[in-house]
């Protein structure tokens, strides 16, 4: 089961307690479902949990039943339909609309006066037209509808609930979406999917830890590579000086630095500084080795 399916299954397990919230949830489902017209209402879902809950939810909200139900043993996408004219008109009137007079669907905010009803409405929209990516792969939650006005008004509803979504058009769909993990977690919590929200944040923490470890490993590897490259350059310079002039030609401090580098070809500057006698700072030792490289006769690649 995908993360999106798990979140929807969690939402369906907790049905609205109040009739007004059941009505609001149905409103969200209808405005984000496949077909909501004066001639037909059709809801298609791949969620077995939502398919089981839809008949109960519509009886609670409207006191009506679907005219077409999927077979009891149906798998995959399941289709629910209401085609009886009287039922369709009754549903439209429940939201302050007349089926025959409605040219474009809008959100009647009068049906969503309280915060609980607004949250239930958004919950229904997510159940019917929402999706969320697996947090292991990325952060993206969206609500997609074929009604432009509904999408614009959903943006306002989400603002009233304290969210700052983004909007886009994708083909014939109008999309309201979130890209930030914290906003998605807050959204899921607000509509009742707190377990999914916790799983998302846990996945984010784990991913951030892995990224931090990878960054540290990469940084340590890069530093180690630089240390090796610098040591090789220093050893090459020391060998040229030794070959042409002898290490005795170097001042005492530089001679000691050269001998330390020969004896410890892979050591870091900090380690070499600790091995010096008398002790010197890392900066002092770095200066001495740079001086040796500068003094070395020009030569080919070692």
């Amino acid at each position: 089961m995908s993360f999106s399916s798990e979140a929807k299954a969690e939402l369906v397990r907790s049905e609205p307690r109040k009739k007004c919230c059941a009505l609001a949830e149905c409103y969200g489902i209808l405005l984000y479902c496949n077909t909501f017209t004066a001639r037909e209402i059709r809801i298609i879902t791949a969620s077995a949990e939502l398919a089981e809950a839809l008949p109960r939810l519509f009886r609670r909200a409207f006191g009506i039943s679907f005219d077409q139900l999927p077979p009891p043993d149906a798998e995959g996408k399941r289709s629910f339909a209401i085609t009886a004219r009287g039922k369709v008109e009754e549903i439209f009137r429940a939201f302050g609309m007349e089926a025959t007079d409605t040219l474009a669907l809008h959100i009647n905010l009068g049906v969503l006066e309280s915060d609980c009803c607004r949250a239930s409405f958004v919950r229904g929209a997510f159940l019917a037209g929402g999706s969320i990516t697996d947090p292991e792969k990325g952060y993206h939650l969206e609500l997609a509808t074929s009604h432009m006005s509904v999408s614009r008004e959903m943006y306002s509803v989400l603002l009233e609930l304290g969210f700052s979504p983004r909007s886009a058009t994708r083909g014939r769909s109008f999309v309201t979406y979130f890209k930030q993990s914290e906003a998605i977690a807050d959204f899921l919590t607000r509509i009742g999917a707190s377990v999914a929200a916790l799983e998302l944040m846990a996945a984010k923490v784990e991913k951030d830890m892995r990224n931090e470890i990878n960054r540290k490993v990469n940084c340590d590897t890069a530093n180690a590579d630089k240390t090796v490259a610098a040591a090789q350059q220093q050893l090459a310079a020391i060998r040229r000086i030794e070959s042409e002039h002898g290490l005795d030609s170097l001042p005492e401090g530089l001679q000691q630095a050269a001998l330390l580098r020969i004896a410890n070809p892979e050591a870091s500057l900090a380690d070499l500084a600790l091995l010096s006698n008398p002790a010197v700072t890392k900066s002092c030792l770095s200066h001495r080795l740079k001086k040796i490289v500068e003094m070395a006769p020009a030569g080919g690649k070692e």
Side-chain angles (χ1 to χ4, degrees):
M1 184 182 288
S2 69
F3 184 76
S4 188
S5 298
E6 289 176 357
K8 291 183 179 182
E10 180 187 354
L11 289 173
V12 171
R13 284 194 291 269
S14 177
E15 297 183 11
R17 295 181 179 179
K18 298 190 291 186
K19 183 174 180 178
C20 62
C21 290
L23 188 69
E25 187 167 325
C26 286
Y27 199 15
I29 290 173
L30 290 165
L31 291 177
Y32 278 79
C33 73
N34 301 80
T35 307
F36 183 29
T37 67
R39 297 181 61 184
E40 178 188 31
I41 292 171
R42 185 169 296 277
I43 303 167
I44 300 175
T45 179
S47 169
E49 292 80 7
L50 178 57
E52 183 181 349
L54 270 176
R56 295 195 303 271
L57 186 61
F58 269 64
R59 280 196 299 270
R60 176 83 185 281
F62 310 109
I64 64 174
S65 59
F66 286 96
D67 297 323
Q68 296 176 22
L69 293 169
D73 57 348
E75 296 182 358
K77 292 185 177 180
R78 301 159 177 85
S79 180
F80 297 78
I82 297 173
T83 53
R85 182 172 179 177
K87 291 182 180 180
V88 173
E89 289 178 347
E90 184 177 345
I91 290 173
F92 268 80
R93 282 195 292 270
F95 303 120
M97 302 181 291
E98 289 295 331
T100 54
D101 297 336
T102 301
L103 298 178
L105 292 174
H106 290 269
I107 298 176
N108 180 359
L109 297 178
V111 181
L112 311 175
E113 292 183 348
S114 63
D115 275 356
C116 64
C117 288
R118 281 192 284 269
S120 294
F121 171 77
V122 175
R123 166 194 176 108
F126 178 75
L127 286 170
S131 63
I132 178 173
T133 58
D134 187 332
E136 291 289 341
K137 299 177 181 178
Y139 307 114
H140 182 88
L141 182 149
E142 68 175 41
L143 305 171
T145 179
S146 58
H147 310 294
M148 180 176 65
S149 298
V150 170
S151 183
R152 288 178 176 174
E153 291 154 3
M154 173 61 85
Y155 185 92
S156 299
V157 171
L158 290 171
L159 286 179
E160 289 184 16
L161 288 173
F163 297 103
S164 299
R166 300 179 184 179
S167 300
T169 302
R170 185 189 304 131
R172 295 183 179 181
S173 294
F174 301 93
V175 181
T176 307
Y177 67 96
F178 298 93
K179 283 286 190 184
Q180 300 79 26
S181 57
E182 291 82 2
I184 295 172
D186 289 344
F187 177 93
L188 291 172
T189 301
R190 190 70 178 84
I191 64 174
S194 56
V195 173
L198 289 172
E199 289 178 0
L200 183 146
M201 293 312 296
K204 181 181 186 300
V205 169
E206 184 177 346
K207 185 188 297 184
D208 289 347
M209 287 179 63
R210 286 200 303 266
N211 290 340
E212 182 62 28
I213 291 170
N214 288 337
R215 280 194 294 269
K216 190 175 187 308
V217 169
N218 291 337
C219 181
D220 290 346
T221 300
N223 289 337
D225 290 343
K226 290 179 181 178
T227 297
V228 171
Q232 289 176 344
Q233 182 187 31
Q234 294 155 9
L235 285 168
I238 292 167
R239 283 195 291 269
R240 291 199 299 273
I241 292 174
E242 184 178 23
S243 175
E244 296 198 17
H245 306 292
L247 295 183
D248 292 341
S249 64
L250 294 172
E252 183 179 353
L254 298 187
Q255 186 179 138
Q256 184 191 53
L259 292 172
L260 278 172
R261 174 51 79 196
I262 292 172
N264 304 276
E266 297 180 358
S268 66
L269 288 176
D271 291 338
L272 288 181
L274 291 174
L275 294 172
S276 299
N277 186 19
V280 296
T281 63
K282 176 182 172 182
S283 175
C284 175
L285 187 61
S286 174
H287 175 75
R288 290 178 178 180
L289 289 172
K290 286 180 181 178
K291 189 68 175 176
I292 289 173
V293 172
E294 293 170 359
M295 293 173 59
K301 292 183 179 179
E302 296 291 329

